[in-house]
Amino acid sequence: MSDRQLAGGEPVAPTVLEQEGRLHRHLGFWGLTAIGFSNIVGSGWLFAAMYAAQTAGPAALLSWVGAGLLCGLVALVMIELGASRPEGGGTVRWPLYASGRLVGTLVGWSVLLSVGGTAAEISAIMQYADHYLPDIYDGGTLSPFGLGVAVALSVLLTALNWFTVRAFARLNNLVSVFKVLVPVVTVIALFASGWHSGRLTDHGGFAPYGYAACLSALAGGGIVYSVNGFQAPLDFSGETRNPRRTLPASVLTAIALAVLMYLALQLAFLFTVPENLLGHGWQGVSFESPFGQLALILNLHWLSSLLYADAVASPGGSAYVGVALNARHTYALAKNRTIPRFFMRVGERYGIPHRALLLNLVVIVLFLLPFGGWQHIVSVMGDMYLLIYAASAVAVAVFRAGPGRERMAGWVPGLRWIAPVSFVVASEFVYWSGWHDLRLALPLVLAGLLLFLAMWRTGHNERSLGEELRTGAWLVVYLGALTLLSWLGTFKGSGRLPAPYDSVTVAVVTLGIFFWAVRSGTRQMFASHTPS
């Protein structure tokens, strides 16, 4: 596919090339690694160790290792795309190139909704800040005062992202240092206070709730949410020096550092929980603020104070990166014509998509109004963003088989099998999150069909509606199949499809949909390059 064409043969307008050229290429390895790490490590590290232990006991350690390996596999696909086709907001653009406007619109719609993830981090800050300002919450929801503080914080984070990407990277590097330092100090201080031997085998053994609980811990224990976010450097590929060399190393380094940190925190939690709290096993261990309260029980008051301070800084750092990341996504959505091109403009002085930043600020505030709580936002928004991983796996397979395949960087060997496996992995991640979340998230994504039809009627379309529907129908079927299987399955579903056959069925069905999607995308790419 030509650099100056979209899927379906639509030429890229000169204004697109002009705005893309204004992006400043200032980011290097450490800047990108810090962006990835900071986006991964947010509020999750403060809770996931406890919830994972409640779900799987000491076997939660296996869940962290598995999540790291699975995310690494998905990351290889994203890396190949970022190195081959570096572009601002690339994770939104690639599905459009590979699978047409219907898929591009549905994925773009889910990305626009997933701006609520930044609202979740801001909500987490509010919940932790309630330790110091008790008037923030009223009956479990944000009070008018709390909402005012949350909106003010949202405005501040947007203002901090208003200037050059170089300034963004420097400030993010400082935040990342703090986000690394506090967990390391926490692990050292907890072990130094004394630890209990035999914790990996006592209280029901290493896997007191069975090894299948390790899968439940991926979603129910907050592990997937905690490791998610590694793709952030790829959305800055259009602002990176030498992306083909820098992106692979930075993404994989960010994942490895985050998983090592989470494993250390999990071990510290397992070995230092007081014996008297384990009378009912690991499921009976419950804290509102796990590490903060654990530090108080162990008479580490200085550590508790530090943790409550970091409970604001860590989600704040993730929200800071999230605001920048979402602006690149919204910028890309405007290029896709999923939203008006008005939001695509990049400021000449700073090289920042300011209008996209302002639109995201509005979306963040809207999510804070009806939800107000961290758990309520995360439970729905997380699944929407996982759809990008599945769409990206299809895109890399289509690009590899379609015209212009010589542009593939070739950095990742074995893409022929990595792409379908990563598609299935992403699908399992969505499925394991459970019916209670998917019954809201997936139909909400399907509502993007209305946006597709509205934009189709007002746009300049190079392909017929029938052609677009044939090319992108796989995503509609995919979302419907996951919804049905989630209702039938054992992850908070009806249980009509017992374990492990439910996860096996998801793998078989989604693998078939993957090959259908690749065939449809390859066919439309060759058709768009056939001389008329």
Side-chain angles (χ1 to χ4, degrees):
M1 180 176 291
S2 169
D3 286 343
R4 294 175 178 265
Q5 283 188 326
L6 293 177
E10 178 189 341
V12 177
T15 183
V16 174
L17 299 176
E18 178 186 355
Q19 302 303 320
E20 190 77 11
R22 291 180 179 178
L23 296 174
H24 297 173
R25 297 181 178 270
H26 289 315
L27 294 173
F29 170 76
W30 288 113
L32 286 173
T33 300
I35 289 171
F37 183 85
S38 187
N39 200 47
I40 294 172
V41 182
S43 56
W45 83 266
L46 296 158
F47 292 103
M50 182 188 73
Y51 289 129
Q54 287 178 345
T55 305
L61 294 168
L62 298 179
S63 301
W64 285 111
V65 174
L69 292 175
L70 294 177
C71 285
L73 185 66
V74 175
L76 290 175
V77 169
M78 310 288 277
I79 286 168
E80 181 68 22
L81 288 169
S84 302
R85 296 168 178 261
E87 183 175 1
T91 51
V92 175
R93 296 286 279 173
W94 301 321
L96 174 70
Y97 291 145
S99 299
R101 193 158 296 284
L102 173 59
V103 172
T105 301
L106 287 177
V107 172
W109 170 246
S110 67
V111 169
L112 191 60
L113 292 175
S114 70
V115 172
T118 301
E121 296 299 313
I122 294 173
S123 179
I125 296 172
M126 295 298 98
Q127 290 179 220
Y128 297 135
D130 189 57
H131 180 75
Y132 301 102
L133 300 171
D135 294 332
I136 285 181
Y137 276 87
D138 181 16
T141 60
L142 285 171
S143 66
F145 169 71
L147 181 60
V149 174
V151 171
L153 181 57
S154 304
V155 172
L156 175 62
L157 291 170
T158 300
L160 290 173
N161 275 283
W162 195 263
F163 303 103
T164 63
V165 69
R166 180 178 292 174
F168 161 79
R170 288 173 178 172
L171 182 55
N172 182 65
N173 288 344
L174 294 176
V175 174
S176 297
V177 169
F178 187 68
K179 293 174 71 171
V180 173
L181 183 62
V182 175
V184 169
V185 170
T186 299
V187 171
I188 295 173
L190 290 178
F191 275 118
S193 68
W195 54 286
H196 305 274
S197 61
R199 281 298 175 80
L200 298 183
T201 55
D202 296 342
H203 305 287
F206 182 70
Y209 313 115
Y211 284 95
C214 294
L215 296 178
S216 299
L218 287 169
I223 290 177
V224 169
Y225 174 77
S226 299
V227 180
N228 188 32
F230 58 82
Q231 75 290 338
L234 299 171
D235 286 294
F236 288 86
S237 59
E239 297 156 89
T240 301
R241 298 190 304 268
N242 196 355
R244 294 184 182 226
R245 183 183 67 184
T246 307
L247 282 170
S250 63
V251 172
L252 295 179
T253 300
I255 293 174
L257 291 175
V259 170
L260 286 174
M261 189 196 76
Y262 283 127
L263 282 172
L265 287 163
Q266 186 71 65
L267 285 169
F269 185 84
L270 291 171
F271 277 97
T272 59
V273 169
E275 192 71 24
N276 65 322
L277 297 181
L278 288 165
H280 299 285
W282 291 104
Q283 289 181 340
V285 180
S286 180
F287 300 110
E288 291 183 6
S289 178
F291 286 110
Q293 291 178 256
L294 182 58
L296 285 175
I297 292 173
L298 299 175
N299 293 318
L300 299 173
H301 295 278
W302 64 270
L303 178 61
S304 178
S305 298
L306 180 63
L307 286 167
Y308 276 107
D310 185 68
V312 174
S314 284
S318 289
Y320 177 57
V321 173
V323 168
L325 184 64
N326 291 331
R328 273 68 184 177
H329 285 159
T330 304
Y331 163 84
L333 292 177
K335 285 199 293 184
N336 286 2
R337 294 189 184 277
T338 301
I339 59 177
R341 283 275 170 88
F342 172 83
F343 294 104
M344 183 186 151
R345 181 174 175 80
V346 176
E348 293 186 34
R349 181 177 180 185
Y350 296 117
I352 300 293
H354 289 147
R355 293 174 181 176
L357 276 173
L358 292 175
L359 176 61
N360 288 338
L361 174 61
V362 173
V363 175
I364 290 170
V365 173
L366 289 176
F367 271 107
L368 287 170
L369 288 174
F371 291 97
W374 181 84
Q375 186 177 12
H376 293 91
I377 301 173
V378 167
S379 62
V380 176
M381 294 303 111
D383 292 319
M384 294 181 179
Y385 202 77
L386 284 170
L387 295 176
I388 294 180
Y389 300 162
S392 296
V394 171
V396 79
V398 170
F399 294 152
R400 185 178 179 275
R405 52 187 174 271
E406 68 278 355
R407 290 184 55 194
M408 299 303 291
W411 187 87
V412 180
L415 273 177
R416 177 172 296 181
W417 66 267
I418 289 176
V421 170
S422 66
F423 183 90
V424 172
V425 167
S427 304
E428 295 285 12
F429 275 19
V430 173
Y431 171 72
W432 290 333
S433 65
W435 166 245
H436 288 175
D437 296 340
L438 293 182
R439 66 182 179 179
L440 297 175
L442 297 186
L444 191 56
V445 174
L446 281 171
L449 285 171
L450 299 177
L451 178 63
F452 166 74
L453 293 174
M455 294 301 294
W456 180 269
R457 295 184 63 182
T458 60
H460 303 284
N461 307 299
E462 297 293 327
R463 305 172 68 217
S464 70
L465 181 60
E467 289 175 319
E468 287 290 355
L469 292 176
R470 283 193 297 272
T471 303
W474 68 266
L475 183 55
V476 178
V477 174
Y478 173 76
L479 294 172
L482 282 179
T483 303
L484 175 62
L485 290 172
S486 180
W487 175 71
L488 292 172
T490 59
F491 287 82
K492 299 181 181 179
S494 65
R496 289 177 170 83
L497 186 60
Y501 302 108
D502 54 346
S503 294
V504 172
T505 302
V506 169
V508 172
V509 170
T510 56
L511 187 62
I513 292 175
F514 170 81
F515 288 114
W516 171 24
V518 173
R519 185 171 61 252
S520 297
T522 304
R523 186 184 299 119
Q524 71 91 16
M525 287 190 72
F526 274 114
S528 68
H529 281 75
T530 301
S532 57

